[in-house]
Amino acid sequence: MSLQDELTDVKRRLDDLTRTVERLERSLAPKRGNAPRTQPADRPRDLVTIPDTPYDSSLWTDSDDEGLGARDRHAP
């Protein structure tokens, strides 16, 4: 199968998917009625505030630098 054939097939399948989603949305619209819209899945419900104050340096005691290994050793 050539690249052009594959691209044509992908476009056809994407068009089919788009039509299917549109039909699904139309069929669900009457069932939803005046129900409140839900929050999008990619949006967090509870936000966590990260303070601007520096972290306690004792948190990093005996930790390795990620990807660099331990401070007192050399890479093999």
Side-chain angles (χ1 to χ4, degrees):
M1 182 179 267
S2 72
L3 179 60
Q4 185 62 37
D5 291 338
E6 289 180 18
L7 290 174
T8 302
D9 188 48
V10 168
K11 179 162 179 20
R12 181 183 55 78
R13 289 173 187 256
L14 184 58
D15 290 342
D16 289 345
L17 177 62
T18 302
R19 283 191 298 274
T20 302
V21 169
E22 288 171 352
R23 277 194 311 261
L24 179 61
E25 287 175 339
R26 283 193 303 270
S27 70
L28 291 177
K31 294 176 185 172
R32 291 181 87 179
N34 292 330
R37 300 196 86 184
T38 58
Q39 199 170 18
D42 60 342
R43 191 178 235 179
R45 292 179 187 227
D46 297 323
L47 297 178
V48 176
T49 304
I50 300 174
D52 291 333
T53 57
Y55 288 109
D56 180 8
S57 61
S58 66
L59 291 172
W60 312 118
T61 304
D62 296 330
S63 67
D64 293 341
D65 291 326
E66 186 174 332
L68 300 176
R71 291 186 188 132
D72 59 346
R73 291 183 295 216
H74 296 285

